[in-house]
Amino acid sequence: MITPVYSQEVAAARASGAALVALESTIITHGMPYPQNVEVARSVEADIRAEGAIPATLAVLEGALHVGLSDGQLETLGQTRSAAKLSRADVAVCLATGGTGSTTVAATMIGAHLAGIEVFATGGIGGVHQGAELSFDVSADLQELAQTPVTVVAAGAKAILDLPKTLEVLETLGVPVIAVGQDGFPAFWSRQSGLSAPLRLDTPQEIATAHTMRRRLGLPGGQLIANPIPVADEIAAATLAPIIATAQHDATRDGITGKAVTPYLLQRIYELTDGQSLRANIALARNNARLAARIAQALGRN
Ligand code: PSU
Ligand code: MN
């Protein structure tokens, strides 16, 4: 097994047994524009500390897997335009060739598990894309949730995905999809997708106990915790529907495929909402970070 490079803060947390929360870096390099991306990354880390846990942002920098980034490394990564987007298929090649890349949900789960971190906060996960029956575009994030034992806190999934198919695949893969404090599955910028979540839990302690119970049952894989965006920050699904449709149309017109699809759609939606989507995105990322910090601490008490 490789040993990751730990930041000072994360190394100290590991030594003292403090609760740790993993954070992905694709949201920084491919999910938001500079300089907001770095500001958000810093705020999310501060929220986790304010809740009493320690944040660990993951990335591959010049051929080394980093768990925990210094402020300078976060800034450099946020400005880099050439960082690769690393999913499960890409991490080993990037490390082997001395490359630099940001980790998706799938790759962050792999790195977190290597580092013994069991809880991870993000914005939205990848899933089954609309038109997947023709394109076969299904994110590796779903398979990762099925095999790597990390609890992932997200605000559901964006309506750029086919949400019913995403839930079907997660069910087939045996991934628990747990809505927090409501029965409905949230849709990222909107609290409700119109779909029921398969499972519901209302407290960090219950979520932590369910995580531990999977291990005690000998089950592989993690849990998807679907945490709705705060009421005050929500954007109505009806407002976003035509914007998402336009972004999707543009992606097809421009021949966007593979791992370029998600970043393209996020950028188009940002442009088409004059940056409004970003404010909600920031609020939900911070909300997920706070919940993840509470789950990580509850896990420590289990
Ligand atoms: N969905 C979002 N924001 C994101 C992503 C997904 O709402 O930033 C990023 C995450 O890093 C996720 C990745 O793991 O995109 C999924 O990409 P793909 O669909 O290519 O697997
Ligand atoms: Mn894809």
Side-chain angles (χ1 to χ4, degrees):
M1 286 294 186
I2 69 157
T3 304
V5 178
Y6 296 107
S7 66
Q8 271 183 14
E9 185 186 25
V10 170
R14 285 167 53 83
S16 70
L20 280 154
V21 174
L23 296 165
E24 62 154 306
S25 44
T26 296
I27 195 171
I28 301 173
T29 55
H30 293 74
M32 294 181 188
Y34 180 82
Q36 288 98 329
N37 58 354
V38 177
E39 285 165 30
V40 176
R42 288 196 180 114
S43 312
V44 164
E45 290 203 345
D47 290 329
I48 290 170
R49 291 188 194 100
E51 287 289 341
I54 300 298
T57 302
L58 279 81
V60 176
L61 305 179
E62 295 171 359
L65 175 63
H66 286 254
V67 176
L69 300 182
S70 70
D71 202 59
Q73 287 169 330
L74 214 54
E75 176 72 30
T76 306
L77 191 66
Q79 288 188 29
T80 307
R81 301 212 156 251
S82 56
K85 174 181 159 185
L86 308 175
S87 190
R88 164 173 276 260
D90 317 295
V91 192
V93 168
C94 188
L95 288 168
T97 55
T100 289
S102 56
T103 51
T104 62
V105 168
T108 305
M109 290 177 74
I110 293 168
H113 182 50
L114 257 178
I117 303 174
E118 294 179 278
V119 184
F120 161 24
T122 184
I125 62 156
V128 180
H129 277 267
Q130 299 204 22
E133 59 273 32
L134 294 177
S135 68
F136 276 43
D137 190 349
V138 179
S139 175
D141 292 353
L142 303 185
Q143 288 277 5
E144 205 60 51
L145 280 160
Q147 56 188 306
T148 302
V150 174
T151 283
V152 179
V153 182
K158 284 195 175 120
I160 60 173
L161 301 175
D162 185 322
L163 297 183
K165 288 194 184 70
T166 300
L167 289 177
E168 288 292 350
V169 170
L170 286 165
E171 183 188 12
T172 302
L173 293 171
V175 176
V177 178
I178 303 167
V180 182
Q182 66 179 34
D183 295 330
F185 183 66
F188 201 79
W189 295 293
S190 318
R191 287 175 64 82
Q192 297 290 351
S193 62
L195 302 165
S196 293
L199 298 161
R200 167 183 175 161
L201 292 174
D202 291 349
T203 67
Q205 186 61 61
E206 287 173 328
I207 295 166
T209 304
H211 175 99
T212 307
M213 195 60 74
R214 284 185 67 85
R215 189 172 53 223
R216 293 175 67 196
L217 283 166
L219 295 175
Q223 316 186 96
L224 176 59
I225 306 304
N227 188 30
I229 183 172
V231 177
D233 304 298
E234 172 175 41
I235 307 178
T239 308
L240 286 166
I243 289 166
I244 292 169
T246 303
Q248 240 128 19
H249 170 267
D250 293 354
T252 307
R253 180 199 61 200
D254 293 351
I256 309 298
T257 56
K259 60 171 61 201
V261 172
T262 301
Y264 179 96
L265 292 174
L266 298 183
Q267 175 62 24
R268 269 315 270 143
I269 291 164
Y270 171 76
E271 290 162 9
L272 291 165
T273 60
D274 288 324
Q276 265 184 21
S277 63
L278 187 59
R279 199 178 51 82
N281 202 340
I282 294 168
L284 67 84
R286 300 184 64 176
N287 191 47
N288 294 343
R290 289 188 290 265
L291 176 59
R294 289 184 210 129
I295 296 168
Q297 288 173 95
L299 262 180
R301 291 190 290 270
N302 267 1

